[in-house]
Amino acid sequence: MTPRAGLLDLIRTAPDVEALLSSFGFDVGRKPSGEGERLASGSPLEAVAGEFSGGTFFLCPEEDGRRAVVFANSEGEGGLIADDLASALEIVIGLEWQDCLRFSGGGDLEVMQATARHLERYPTGARPGVAEDRARAAAALSLEVVPVPDLVVRLHDAVRRTEPHHVVIADDGQACDPLFGEHSEPRLGGWS
């Protein structure tokens, strides 16, 4: 079993694993957009990966032997997504997590579950073979393949716990907006 603390080292030294995670939007080779992000407490954040549209994954300072993971996107939203890197990666590879947050009805768990169900029914148009890629990534990192409804609950719980300890302050000094989006589904045409 891969030690959870060594996940970043494993990703960085295994090009095939790095490429696979990059396809899920967790790219350790992508440079973060800003270097001044920190927690509202003033604690520094360690940028560990970027994603397609300019967002950055950060490790928080260690607490109780774990380093929580926060995410800040390019739209000024940010917050806690998991209590450690392994849990964050299980969410990243196992769930269309950003859309579940974007279309969460302001953080309504039932709306997030409905969004996840819809996105799981229609993954092939955007990404054929996603189930196989998820299984390969989980196996390579000794992670669990967690059922989507459970991942939604984990993500919802983490984002709800953003305040007060995991509020991200952007490099411009402003607190990031919450990760929960107000809409329940896409505005034009819904989940057609």
Side-chain angles (χ1 to χ4, degrees):
M1 179 107 153
T2 303
R4 290 181 178 247
L7 282 174
L8 277 176
D9 290 335
L10 175 61
I11 294 164
R12 290 177 177 140
T13 58
D16 55 330
V17 175
E18 183 179 341
L20 186 55
L21 286 179
S22 178
S23 74
F24 285 103
F26 187 91
D27 187 349
V28 296
R30 189 177 290 268
K31 300 291 183 213
S33 58
E35 297 293 327
E37 287 90 344
R38 58 183 164 75
L39 293 176
S41 67
S43 295
L45 292 169
E46 177 187 350
V48 293
E51 59 87 44
F52 310 119
S53 62
T56 305
F57 295 89
F58 298 94
L59 288 176
C60 298
E62 186 173 326
E63 188 174 305
D64 298 326
R66 300 170 86 177
R67 295 185 73 186
V69 177
V70 296
F71 177 79
N73 66 29
S74 59
E75 287 80 40
E77 300 162 336
L80 181 68
I81 63 166
D83 292 328
D84 60 31
L85 184 57
S87 295
L89 289 171
E90 288 170 350
I91 288 169
V92 167
I93 66 174
L95 178 67
E96 296 292 334
W97 68 280
Q98 290 193 65
D99 282 339
C100 284
L101 291 172
R102 187 173 296 117
F103 303 111
S104 70
D108 185 309
L109 180 58
E110 289 182 31
V111 172
M112 288 177 69
Q113 293 286 10
T115 298
R117 281 191 303 273
H118 173 80
L119 293 169
E120 285 299 302
R121 275 194 301 258
Y122 304 102
T124 55
R127 184 165 179 166
V130 69
E132 294 83 7
D133 288 347
R134 285 175 173 167
R136 282 186 25 236
L141 297 168
S142 298
L143 301 174
E144 293 181 44
V145 177
V146 180
V148 167
D150 295 345
L151 291 173
V152 173
V153 169
R154 279 191 198 177
L155 180 62
H156 179 265
D157 179 55
V159 174
R160 268 193 22 238
R161 291 184 290 113
T162 293
E163 291 188 30
H165 303 294
H166 295 99
V167 172
V168 178
I169 304 298
D171 55 2
D172 66 0
Q174 298 296 313
C176 288
D177 292 328
L179 287 169
F180 288 129
E182 293 301 316
H183 300 290
S184 298
E185 58 185 34
R187 285 186 248 176
L188 302 175
W191 294 119
S192 53

